[in-house]
Amino acid sequence: MTSSAAIFTPLPTEDHEEEIESQSVITEKNTDQILDGLLAKVGYGLFQKKLLVLCGFGWLADNVSLYNYSVCMN
């Protein structure tokens, strides 16, 4: 039987509360910057536009079929 090591994080104290608050603000800003950077790197081209239109037609067909079923049942 293998033993798994548990990872424990210390509870915040008064000294560390200010550090934790400042880190959470930095993390939120960095997350937005990372996402914007990734979207800029991947780009938005012809493939994404075709995929958007295709998914839109799929969504439309699904909803029209449900509407037709409800009309036929009444």
Side-chain angles (χ1 to χ4, degrees):
M1 182 173 201
T2 61
S3 64
S4 62
I7 300 172
F8 295 102
T9 56
L11 293 173
T13 60
E14 292 177 6
D15 298 334
H16 297 289
E17 286 181 6
E18 293 177 2
E19 293 176 12
I20 292 172
E21 289 175 2
S22 65
Q23 288 176 356
S24 65
V25 171
I26 292 171
T27 304
E28 290 173 4
K29 290 180 182 177
N30 285 342
T31 305
D32 291 340
Q33 292 172 352
I34 290 171
L35 183 60
D36 288 340
L38 288 174
L39 289 175
K41 188 175 181 179
V42 171
Y44 190 78
L46 185 61
F47 174 76
Q48 285 79 13
K49 291 177 185 176
K50 287 182 179 180
L51 186 63
L52 178 66
V53 170
L54 182 64
C55 290
F57 279 126
W59 176 78
L60 177 70
D62 184 44
N63 285 322
V64 167
S65 66
L66 290 174
Y67 177 74
N68 288 336
Y69 295 147
S70 68
V71 168
C72 290
M73 293 295 181
N74 288 332

